[in-house]
Amino acid sequence: MDDSQAIRHKNLLFAALGDLIRQKLRSWVVIFCLTAILFPLVTALGISEGLKFQAEIAVREGADLYVSGELYGGNGPVSLSHMEPLASLPSISRVAARVVGRTYFVDRLVAVVGLDEESLLALKSLVQGEVPRVRGGVVVGEGIAKAFGVRPGPGMRFTLSANNRKVFVPTGTLSPSCLWGSDILIMHFEDANEFFRITSLASHYLLYENPGSGNALSEVMEALKERGFLRFGERQEFEEMLQAGYGHRDGIFVVLFVIGAALAMPAFLVTLGFGLRELQKEIGLLKAIGWKTKDVLEKVLLQNLMICLAALCLSILLSMAWIKGLNGALIAQFYIAEVGLFPDLEVPSRYVPFHALFLLGFSLVVTLPGCFLSTWKKTKMPPRALIG
Amino acid sequence: MNPVIKTENISKWYHPGRRDEVRAVDDVSLEIFENTSVVLYGPSGSGKTTLLGLIGTIDRPTGGRIFLYGQNVTLFSDLELSRIRRETIGLVFQSFHLFSGMSAWENVSHPLIPTGTRGKERFERAAALLERLGLGDRLHHSPEELSGGQQQRVAIARALVNNPKILIADEPTSNIDEDSVRTLLDLLEELKNEGKTIIISSHDPVFRSHGDVLFNLNRGRLEGIHHPKR
């Protein structure tokens, strides 16, 4: 691109900006209309990406291999007798047994998770209070803590009943940012088994690989298969499932949104027509003073781009304010199960450049057909007919 | 000598063949030579503005041909016509049609935006023209803050900023006071002396004594050609 072309583009950019400032009312009306369309989408994508990010961290920080037993063709408990032989495999650095079950806390269905000492200690940074040091202690999810006022304190204890009745002492609560831990009770592995009156079984094992052990996992799986009735879940598999799941969810939302936007389009086009008479006259004047069609179109394109950028920035700022300030009220429920209209938990959010680009493209698609096409048609008319 | 502008039987009809047919310009043939001052005159509705629009290439005829420097511009594409308006013709509209909300210098320099002229140079050229037209102290005023005569001078400066060979002005005296008319006549004379071809439409008799050639229009038809200075 030669120098004069670069100056031409720069001139047109400033002329476009100048026009937006000059036609303040029209610019603001269009920006607000576009923001009204973009804002819910930005918010939803932000929450979706935040959830995905948390889930990815959970998978990444999790075990390399999950091993469970098989029951009726599905996952079932696994005998603790396999634990020692697995731990002795040279490629495995650690094996942890875990119990995952469900019970009612008053009238609320909650998850019960039993972990070994090391896994409990690893949760420390996510717990407000203490992780259970001795048997009988429990970390309570924020949802339960809020709903029933169960927080660590002197004399605080509660009784749970499942296959067994057992008294627990809350030692800490899970941080509100742990979405997966709203309705959860985390306790010692032995406490969980005692509570469900189960012995010598675990829901599954978590196997951690020695770094640099190459193709060890497949060898481990082969070895385990020989023991029969075992099922495996690899970290990679979970990552793939996660991507597919969120892609699917985003996809549905985008499709629904595009339908919504298509319905809103006529109203939006009417808005774009706001001040059209004046615009038409200006196009005629520009042509009359020697502007070429491509000059006028470039200016309109730049104006649209600036309007879309402004609307996008406004949408992102509003969305951040909504999620951080209002904790995703009203919209979070569509993305996070059982959180209600006003979530108790800290709603996660994350804004990624790809989404911003996608939304910019989307807003250009919404605005350009109305504006660009009509401008192009007008530039093809004799200027005098436009000036009047 | 070849004419700068030549029209051959040009017409501009609206709603042709219908009961409400209007023949704004009807079968007009004329020639305009370089460095002359031409006045189109006639009563209101005689087709002066329409004919100026056709000559100024901001309108297309429904019949006939227009030649500009020997080229048949009726066959020109939209792009070629834009190039002519940018390089050869400067237009001043009856009601000026300045961009509201823009300062005088921004209005004047607007035609230079897509030519790849730097902002500083655009300002300098606009300022020099406005200075010459007596508006050096009004560079940053918007049209709303200027009188009719001042607005007209801004419009003339805008038409001259690309240094066109032909200046076309439609009814230049209709929206200005008497003092401004005098200033305008002097300015047009000056521009003609610089070698420009001036074409104006007016029903004001004052212009008839200043034009080299007068074209008398009535009901869209050319009814007479006069050379008052011969």
PDB file of all heavy atoms in Angstrom, chain A residues 272-303:
ATOM      1  N   LEU A 272     -31.988   1.521  12.250  1.00  0.00           N
ATOM      2  CA  LEU A 272     -30.924   1.993  11.363  1.00  0.00           C
ATOM      3  C   LEU A 272     -31.443   3.056  10.397  1.00  0.00           C
ATOM      4  O   LEU A 272     -30.706   3.893   9.922  1.00  0.00           O
ATOM      5  CB  LEU A 272     -30.348   0.826  10.561  1.00  0.00           C
ATOM      6  CG  LEU A 272     -29.340  -0.041  11.296  1.00  0.00           C
ATOM      7  CD1 LEU A 272     -28.975  -1.238  10.448  1.00  0.00           C
ATOM      8  CD2 LEU A 272     -28.100   0.732  11.646  1.00  0.00           C
ATOM      9  N   GLY A 273     -32.727   2.985  10.106  1.00  0.00           N
ATOM     10  CA  GLY A 273     -33.342   3.949   9.201  1.00  0.00           C
ATOM     11  C   GLY A 273     -33.541   5.305   9.844  1.00  0.00           C
ATOM     12  O   GLY A 273     -33.881   6.281   9.187  1.00  0.00           O
ATOM     13  N   PHE A 274     -33.296   5.345  11.147  1.00  0.00           N
ATOM     14  CA  PHE A 274     -33.419   6.563  11.930  1.00  0.00           C
ATOM     15  C   PHE A 274     -32.472   7.625  11.346  1.00  0.00           C
ATOM     16  O   PHE A 274     -31.268   7.413  11.264  1.00  0.00           O
ATOM     17  CB  PHE A 274     -33.048   6.212  13.367  1.00  0.00           C
ATOM     18  CG  PHE A 274     -33.097   7.334  14.340  1.00  0.00           C
ATOM     19  CD1 PHE A 274     -34.306   7.824  14.793  1.00  0.00           C
ATOM     20  CD2 PHE A 274     -31.932   7.881  14.830  1.00  0.00           C
ATOM     21  CE1 PHE A 274     -34.349   8.847  15.710  1.00  0.00           C
ATOM     22  CE2 PHE A 274     -31.959   8.902  15.745  1.00  0.00           C
ATOM     23  CZ  PHE A 274     -33.176   9.381  16.187  1.00  0.00           C
ATOM     24  N   GLY A 275     -33.004   8.747  10.892  1.00  0.00           N
ATOM     25  CA  GLY A 275     -32.172   9.802  10.309  1.00  0.00           C
ATOM     26  C   GLY A 275     -31.734   9.502   8.892  1.00  0.00           C
ATOM     27  O   GLY A 275     -30.760  10.058   8.413  1.00  0.00           O
ATOM     28  N   LEU A 276     -32.465   8.603   8.225  1.00  0.00           N
ATOM     29  CA  LEU A 276     -32.051   8.148   6.891  1.00  0.00           C
ATOM     30  C   LEU A 276     -32.104   9.269   5.855  1.00  0.00           C
ATOM     31  O   LEU A 276     -31.254   9.347   4.981  1.00  0.00           O
ATOM     32  CB  LEU A 276     -32.943   6.988   6.454  1.00  0.00           C
ATOM     33  CG  LEU A 276     -32.341   6.049   5.422  1.00  0.00           C
ATOM     34  CD1 LEU A 276     -31.081   5.404   5.948  1.00  0.00           C
ATOM     35  CD2 LEU A 276     -33.337   4.971   5.023  1.00  0.00           C
ATOM     36  N   ARG A 277     -33.100  10.125   5.980  1.00  0.00           N
ATOM     37  CA  ARG A 277     -33.253  11.224   5.021  1.00  0.00           C
ATOM     38  C   ARG A 277     -31.980  12.084   4.999  1.00  0.00           C
ATOM     39  O   ARG A 277     -31.458  12.423   3.959  1.00  0.00           O
ATOM     40  CB  ARG A 277     -34.481  12.057   5.437  1.00  0.00           C
ATOM     41  CG  ARG A 277     -34.801  13.227   4.560  1.00  0.00           C
ATOM     42  CD  ARG A 277     -35.510  12.792   3.272  1.00  0.00           C
ATOM     43  NE  ARG A 277     -35.487  13.858   2.290  1.00  0.00           N
ATOM     44  CZ  ARG A 277     -34.482  14.098   1.458  1.00  0.00           C
ATOM     45  NH1 ARG A 277     -33.384  13.358   1.499  1.00  0.00           N
ATOM     46  NH2 ARG A 277     -34.548  15.074   0.578  1.00  0.00           N
ATOM     47  N   GLU A 278     -31.514  12.401   6.195  1.00  0.00           N
ATOM     48  CA  GLU A 278     -30.307  13.220   6.341  1.00  0.00           C
ATOM     49  C   GLU A 278     -29.096  12.485   5.768  1.00  0.00           C
ATOM     50  O   GLU A 278     -28.268  13.071   5.075  1.00  0.00           O
ATOM     51  CB  GLU A 278     -30.103  13.518   7.839  1.00  0.00           C
ATOM     52  CG  GLU A 278     -29.204  14.692   8.145  1.00  0.00           C
ATOM     53  CD  GLU A 278     -29.642  15.999   7.499  1.00  0.00           C
ATOM     54  OE1 GLU A 278     -30.865  16.220   7.310  1.00  0.00           O
ATOM     55  OE2 GLU A 278     -28.752  16.771   7.150  1.00  0.00           O
ATOM     56  N   LEU A 279     -29.029  11.181   6.059  1.00  0.00           N
ATOM     57  CA  LEU A 279     -27.897  10.377   5.574  1.00  0.00           C
ATOM     58  C   LEU A 279     -27.894  10.326   4.053  1.00  0.00           C
ATOM     59  O   LEU A 279     -26.851  10.436   3.415  1.00  0.00           O
ATOM     60  CB  LEU A 279     -28.009   8.944   6.099  1.00  0.00           C
ATOM     61  CG  LEU A 279     -27.532   8.709   7.526  1.00  0.00           C
ATOM     62  CD1 LEU A 279     -27.730   7.257   7.903  1.00  0.00           C
ATOM     63  CD2 LEU A 279     -26.061   9.079   7.661  1.00  0.00           C
ATOM     64  N   GLN A 280     -29.084  10.153   3.502  1.00  0.00           N
ATOM     65  CA  GLN A 280     -29.230  10.077   2.043  1.00  0.00           C
ATOM     66  C   GLN A 280     -28.707  11.358   1.396  1.00  0.00           C
ATOM     67  O   GLN A 280     -27.972  11.323   0.419  1.00  0.00           O
ATOM     68  CB  GLN A 280     -30.707   9.867   1.727  1.00  0.00           C
ATOM     69  CG  GLN A 280     -31.013   9.796   0.259  1.00  0.00           C
ATOM     70  CD  GLN A 280     -32.472   9.463   0.025  1.00  0.00           C
ATOM     71  OE1 GLN A 280     -33.003   8.525   0.600  1.00  0.00           O
ATOM     72  NE2 GLN A 280     -33.132  10.239  -0.810  1.00  0.00           N
ATOM     73  N   LYS A 281     -29.071  12.486   1.995  1.00  0.00           N
ATOM     74  CA  LYS A 281     -28.620  13.776   1.469  1.00  0.00           C
ATOM     75  C   LYS A 281     -27.092  13.875   1.550  1.00  0.00           C
ATOM     76  O   LYS A 281     -26.434  14.355   0.608  1.00  0.00           O
ATOM     77  CB  LYS A 281     -29.276  14.902   2.279  1.00  0.00           C
ATOM     78  CG  LYS A 281     -29.058  16.263   1.687  1.00  0.00           C
ATOM     79  CD  LYS A 281     -29.732  17.316   2.548  1.00  0.00           C
ATOM     80  CE  LYS A 281     -28.968  18.612   2.441  1.00  0.00           C
ATOM     81  NZ  LYS A 281     -29.402  19.605   3.412  1.00  0.00           N
ATOM     82  N   GLU A 282     -26.540  13.390   2.650  1.00  0.00           N
ATOM     83  CA  GLU A 282     -25.081  13.456   2.811  1.00  0.00           C
ATOM     84  C   GLU A 282     -24.368  12.580   1.784  1.00  0.00           C
ATOM     85  O   GLU A 282     -23.323  12.970   1.256  1.00  0.00           O
ATOM     86  CB  GLU A 282     -24.690  13.019   4.227  1.00  0.00           C
ATOM     87  CG  GLU A 282     -25.011  14.080   5.254  1.00  0.00           C
ATOM     88  CD  GLU A 282     -24.019  14.128   6.407  1.00  0.00           C
ATOM     89  OE1 GLU A 282     -23.014  13.388   6.382  1.00  0.00           O
ATOM     90  OE2 GLU A 282     -24.262  14.908   7.329  1.00  0.00           O
ATOM     91  N   ILE A 283     -24.938  11.427   1.518  1.00  0.00           N
ATOM     92  CA  ILE A 283     -24.320  10.541   0.508  1.00  0.00           C
ATOM     93  C   ILE A 283     -24.314  11.250  -0.847  1.00  0.00           C
ATOM     94  O   ILE A 283     -23.314  11.268  -1.555  1.00  0.00           O
ATOM     95  CB  ILE A 283     -25.084   9.195   0.421  1.00  0.00           C
ATOM     96  CG1 ILE A 283     -24.899   8.395   1.704  1.00  0.00           C
ATOM     97  CG2 ILE A 283     -24.605   8.374  -0.789  1.00  0.00           C
ATOM     98  CD1 ILE A 283     -25.839   7.208   1.844  1.00  0.00           C
ATOM     99  N   GLY A 284     -25.449  11.887  -1.185  1.00  0.00           N
ATOM    100  CA  GLY A 284     -25.543  12.632  -2.442  1.00  0.00           C
ATOM    101  C   GLY A 284     -24.515  13.753  -2.504  1.00  0.00           C
ATOM    102  O   GLY A 284     -23.859  13.961  -3.528  1.00  0.00           O
ATOM    103  N   LEU A 285     -24.359  14.448  -1.375  1.00  0.00           N
ATOM    104  CA  LEU A 285     -23.399  15.560  -1.334  1.00  0.00           C
ATOM    105  C   LEU A 285     -21.970  15.064  -1.498  1.00  0.00           C
ATOM    106  O   LEU A 285     -21.171  15.670  -2.219  1.00  0.00           O
ATOM    107  CB  LEU A 285     -23.511  16.276   0.013  1.00  0.00           C
ATOM    108  CG  LEU A 285     -24.479  17.440   0.056  1.00  0.00           C
ATOM    109  CD1 LEU A 285     -24.570  17.991   1.467  1.00  0.00           C
ATOM    110  CD2 LEU A 285     -24.002  18.547  -0.884  1.00  0.00           C
ATOM    111  N   LEU A 286     -21.665  13.969  -0.811  1.00  0.00           N
ATOM    112  CA  LEU A 286     -20.302  13.413  -0.911  1.00  0.00           C
ATOM    113  C   LEU A 286     -19.994  13.041  -2.357  1.00  0.00           C
ATOM    114  O   LEU A 286     -18.905  13.324  -2.867  1.00  0.00           O
ATOM    115  CB  LEU A 286     -20.155  12.186  -0.005  1.00  0.00           C
ATOM    116  CG  LEU A 286     -20.185  12.453   1.501  1.00  0.00           C
ATOM    117  CD1 LEU A 286     -20.152  11.152   2.286  1.00  0.00           C
ATOM    118  CD2 LEU A 286     -19.012  13.332   1.912  1.00  0.00           C
ATOM    119  N   LYS A 287     -20.983  12.428  -3.002  1.00  0.00           N
ATOM    120  CA  LYS A 287     -20.773  12.048  -4.407  1.00  0.00           C
ATOM    121  C   LYS A 287     -20.612  13.311  -5.267  1.00  0.00           C
ATOM    122  O   LYS A 287     -19.799  13.355  -6.188  1.00  0.00           O
ATOM    123  CB  LYS A 287     -21.948  11.206  -4.910  1.00  0.00           C
ATOM    124  CG  LYS A 287     -22.055   9.837  -4.259  1.00  0.00           C
ATOM    125  CD  LYS A 287     -21.095   8.836  -4.850  1.00  0.00           C
ATOM    126  CE  LYS A 287     -21.541   8.432  -6.231  1.00  0.00           C
ATOM    127  NZ  LYS A 287     -20.666   7.442  -6.826  1.00  0.00           N
ATOM    128  N   ALA A 288     -21.412  14.322  -4.947  1.00  0.00           N
ATOM    129  CA  ALA A 288     -21.369  15.546  -5.750  1.00  0.00           C
ATOM    130  C   ALA A 288     -20.032  16.269  -5.623  1.00  0.00           C
ATOM    131  O   ALA A 288     -19.584  16.931  -6.556  1.00  0.00           O
ATOM    132  CB  ALA A 288     -22.514  16.484  -5.341  1.00  0.00           C
ATOM    133  N   ILE A 289     -19.387  16.148  -4.466  1.00  0.00           N
ATOM    134  CA  ILE A 289     -18.105  16.855  -4.300  1.00  0.00           C
ATOM    135  C   ILE A 289     -16.925  15.958  -4.693  1.00  0.00           C
ATOM    136  O   ILE A 289     -15.777  16.276  -4.405  1.00  0.00           O
ATOM    137  CB  ILE A 289     -17.914  17.420  -2.869  1.00  0.00           C
ATOM    138  CG1 ILE A 289     -17.889  16.300  -1.828  1.00  0.00           C
ATOM    139  CG2 ILE A 289     -18.970  18.447  -2.564  1.00  0.00           C
ATOM    140  CD1 ILE A 289     -17.547  16.771  -0.425  1.00  0.00           C
ATOM    141  N   GLY A 290     -17.225  14.830  -5.323  1.00  0.00           N
ATOM    142  CA  GLY A 290     -16.150  14.044  -5.926  1.00  0.00           C
ATOM    143  C   GLY A 290     -15.770  12.760  -5.215  1.00  0.00           C
ATOM    144  O   GLY A 290     -14.809  12.111  -5.592  1.00  0.00           O
ATOM    145  N   TRP A 291     -16.504  12.391  -4.163  1.00  0.00           N
ATOM    146  CA  TRP A 291     -16.211  11.109  -3.518  1.00  0.00           C
ATOM    147  C   TRP A 291     -16.666   9.986  -4.439  1.00  0.00           C
ATOM    148  O   TRP A 291     -17.711  10.086  -5.095  1.00  0.00           O
ATOM    149  CB  TRP A 291     -16.934  10.994  -2.175  1.00  0.00           C
ATOM    150  CG  TRP A 291     -16.312  11.754  -1.056  1.00  0.00           C
ATOM    151  CD1 TRP A 291     -15.819  13.022  -1.115  1.00  0.00           C
ATOM    152  CD2 TRP A 291     -16.140  11.322   0.292  1.00  0.00           C
ATOM    153  NE1 TRP A 291     -15.348  13.391   0.115  1.00  0.00           N
ATOM    154  CE2 TRP A 291     -15.527  12.371   1.007  1.00  0.00           C
ATOM    155  CE3 TRP A 291     -16.448  10.148   0.985  1.00  0.00           C
ATOM    156  CZ2 TRP A 291     -15.213  12.282   2.353  1.00  0.00           C
ATOM    157  CZ3 TRP A 291     -16.136  10.054   2.324  1.00  0.00           C
ATOM    158  CH2 TRP A 291     -15.517  11.117   3.002  1.00  0.00           C
ATOM    159  N   LYS A 292     -15.881   8.918  -4.464  1.00  0.00           N
ATOM    160  CA  LYS A 292     -16.280   7.756  -5.255  1.00  0.00           C
ATOM    161  C   LYS A 292     -17.127   6.825  -4.389  1.00  0.00           C
ATOM    162  O   LYS A 292     -17.098   6.934  -3.153  1.00  0.00           O
ATOM    163  CB  LYS A 292     -15.035   7.019  -5.752  1.00  0.00           C
ATOM    164  CG  LYS A 292     -14.213   7.833  -6.724  1.00  0.00           C
ATOM    165  CD  LYS A 292     -12.910   7.150  -7.034  1.00  0.00           C
ATOM    166  CE  LYS A 292     -12.060   8.070  -7.928  1.00  0.00           C
ATOM    167  NZ  LYS A 292     -10.687   7.630  -8.035  1.00  0.00           N
ATOM    168  N   THR A 293     -17.828   5.917  -5.060  1.00  0.00           N
ATOM    169  CA  THR A 293     -18.675   4.966  -4.326  1.00  0.00           C
ATOM    170  C   THR A 293     -17.863   4.222  -3.270  1.00  0.00           C
ATOM    171  O   THR A 293     -18.288   4.059  -2.134  1.00  0.00           O
ATOM    172  CB  THR A 293     -19.314   3.967  -5.316  1.00  0.00           C
ATOM    173  OG1 THR A 293     -20.181   4.708  -6.164  1.00  0.00           O
ATOM    174  CG2 THR A 293     -20.107   2.898  -4.617  1.00  0.00           C
ATOM    175  N   LYS A 294     -16.646   3.791  -3.662  1.00  0.00           N
ATOM    176  CA  LYS A 294     -15.842   3.018  -2.707  1.00  0.00           C
ATOM    177  C   LYS A 294     -15.430   3.858  -1.500  1.00  0.00           C
ATOM    178  O   LYS A 294     -15.290   3.324  -0.400  1.00  0.00           O
ATOM    179  CB  LYS A 294     -14.618   2.401  -3.393  1.00  0.00           C
ATOM    180  CG  LYS A 294     -13.579   3.382  -3.859  1.00  0.00           C
ATOM    181  CD  LYS A 294     -12.326   2.660  -4.311  1.00  0.00           C
ATOM    182  CE  LYS A 294     -11.263   3.686  -4.685  1.00  0.00           C
ATOM    183  NZ  LYS A 294     -10.003   3.124  -5.061  1.00  0.00           N
ATOM    184  N   ASP A 295     -15.277   5.181  -1.702  1.00  0.00           N
ATOM    185  CA  ASP A 295     -14.936   6.045  -0.567  1.00  0.00           C
ATOM    186  C   ASP A 295     -16.096   6.099   0.427  1.00  0.00           C
ATOM    187  O   ASP A 295     -15.899   5.978   1.636  1.00  0.00           O
ATOM    188  CB  ASP A 295     -14.629   7.476  -1.035  1.00  0.00           C
ATOM    189  CG  ASP A 295     -13.502   7.523  -2.056  1.00  0.00           C
ATOM    190  OD1 ASP A 295     -12.587   6.697  -1.934  1.00  0.00           O
ATOM    191  OD2 ASP A 295     -13.554   8.378  -2.966  1.00  0.00           O
ATOM    192  N   VAL A 296     -17.297   6.291  -0.133  1.00  0.00           N
ATOM    193  CA  VAL A 296     -18.485   6.386   0.726  1.00  0.00           C
ATOM    194  C   VAL A 296     -18.683   5.056   1.464  1.00  0.00           C
ATOM    195  O   VAL A 296     -18.938   5.029   2.676  1.00  0.00           O
ATOM    196  CB  VAL A 296     -19.741   6.727  -0.103  1.00  0.00           C
ATOM    197  CG1 VAL A 296     -20.976   6.798   0.786  1.00  0.00           C
ATOM    198  CG2 VAL A 296     -19.558   8.040  -0.848  1.00  0.00           C
ATOM    199  N   LEU A 297     -18.537   3.945   0.732  1.00  0.00           N
ATOM    200  CA  LEU A 297     -18.755   2.637   1.347  1.00  0.00           C
ATOM    201  C   LEU A 297     -17.710   2.351   2.425  1.00  0.00           C
ATOM    202  O   LEU A 297     -18.034   1.785   3.469  1.00  0.00           O
ATOM    203  CB  LEU A 297     -18.718   1.532   0.282  1.00  0.00           C
ATOM    204  CG  LEU A 297     -19.916   1.509  -0.663  1.00  0.00           C
ATOM    205  CD1 LEU A 297     -19.763   0.393  -1.683  1.00  0.00           C
ATOM    206  CD2 LEU A 297     -21.221   1.338   0.093  1.00  0.00           C
ATOM    207  N   GLU A 298     -16.477   2.750   2.148  1.00  0.00           N
ATOM    208  CA  GLU A 298     -15.432   2.509   3.157  1.00  0.00           C
ATOM    209  C   GLU A 298     -15.733   3.290   4.428  1.00  0.00           C
ATOM    210  O   GLU A 298     -15.565   2.783   5.532  1.00  0.00           O
ATOM    211  CB  GLU A 298     -14.057   2.900   2.598  1.00  0.00           C
ATOM    212  CG  GLU A 298     -12.931   2.532   3.556  1.00  0.00           C
ATOM    213  CD  GLU A 298     -11.542   2.751   2.966  1.00  0.00           C
ATOM    214  OE1 GLU A 298     -11.395   2.662   1.734  1.00  0.00           O
ATOM    215  OE2 GLU A 298     -10.615   2.987   3.747  1.00  0.00           O
ATOM    216  N   LYS A 299     -16.215   4.517   4.239  1.00  0.00           N
ATOM    217  CA  LYS A 299     -16.535   5.321   5.420  1.00  0.00           C
ATOM    218  C   LYS A 299     -17.673   4.673   6.219  1.00  0.00           C
ATOM    219  O   LYS A 299     -17.603   4.586   7.444  1.00  0.00           O
ATOM    220  CB  LYS A 299     -16.923   6.750   5.010  1.00  0.00           C
ATOM    221  CG  LYS A 299     -16.938   7.700   6.194  1.00  0.00           C
ATOM    222  CD  LYS A 299     -17.386   9.085   5.826  1.00  0.00           C
ATOM    223  CE  LYS A 299     -18.896   9.130   5.801  1.00  0.00           C
ATOM    224  NZ  LYS A 299     -19.440  10.482   5.862  1.00  0.00           N
ATOM    225  N   VAL A 300     -18.679   4.198   5.499  1.00  0.00           N
ATOM    226  CA  VAL A 300     -19.812   3.547   6.172  1.00  0.00           C
ATOM    227  C   VAL A 300     -19.344   2.273   6.881  1.00  0.00           C
ATOM    228  O   VAL A 300     -19.750   1.990   8.018  1.00  0.00           O
ATOM    229  CB  VAL A 300     -20.924   3.232   5.143  1.00  0.00           C
ATOM    230  CG1 VAL A 300     -21.960   2.298   5.730  1.00  0.00           C
ATOM    231  CG2 VAL A 300     -21.589   4.519   4.696  1.00  0.00           C
ATOM    232  N   LEU A 301     -18.475   1.537   6.224  1.00  0.00           N
ATOM    233  CA  LEU A 301     -17.950   0.310   6.821  1.00  0.00           C
ATOM    234  C   LEU A 301     -17.192   0.630   8.110  1.00  0.00           C
ATOM    235  O   LEU A 301     -17.380  -0.028   9.140  1.00  0.00           O
ATOM    236  CB  LEU A 301     -17.027  -0.390   5.822  1.00  0.00           C
ATOM    237  CG  LEU A 301     -16.448  -1.721   6.262  1.00  0.00           C
ATOM    238  CD1 LEU A 301     -17.526  -2.790   6.288  1.00  0.00           C
ATOM    239  CD2 LEU A 301     -15.336  -2.171   5.322  1.00  0.00           C
ATOM    240  N   LEU A 302     -16.362   1.662   8.041  1.00  0.00           N
ATOM    241  CA  LEU A 302     -15.586   2.049   9.226  1.00  0.00           C
ATOM    242  C   LEU A 302     -16.503   2.537  10.343  1.00  0.00           C
ATOM    243  O   LEU A 302     -16.288   2.233  11.507  1.00  0.00           O
ATOM    244  CB  LEU A 302     -14.574   3.143   8.854  1.00  0.00           C
ATOM    245  CG  LEU A 302     -13.414   2.679   7.976  1.00  0.00           C
ATOM    246  CD1 LEU A 302     -12.645   3.862   7.405  1.00  0.00           C
ATOM    247  CD2 LEU A 302     -12.473   1.776   8.761  1.00  0.00           C
ATOM    248  N   GLN A 303     -17.547   3.266   9.942  1.00  0.00           N
ATOM    249  CA  GLN A 303     -18.503   3.739  10.953  1.00  0.00           C
ATOM    250  C   GLN A 303     -19.164   2.548  11.642  1.00  0.00           C
ATOM    251  O   GLN A 303     -19.305   2.524  12.860  1.00  0.00           O
ATOM    252  CB  GLN A 303     -19.590   4.593  10.292  1.00  0.00           C
ATOM    253  CG  GLN A 303     -19.243   6.053  10.252  1.00  0.00           C
ATOM    254  CD  GLN A 303     -20.274   6.864   9.495  1.00  0.00           C
ATOM    255  OE1 GLN A 303     -21.094   6.318   8.762  1.00  0.00           O
ATOM    256  NE2 GLN A 303     -20.205   8.149   9.636  1.00  0.00           N
TER     257      GLN A 303
END
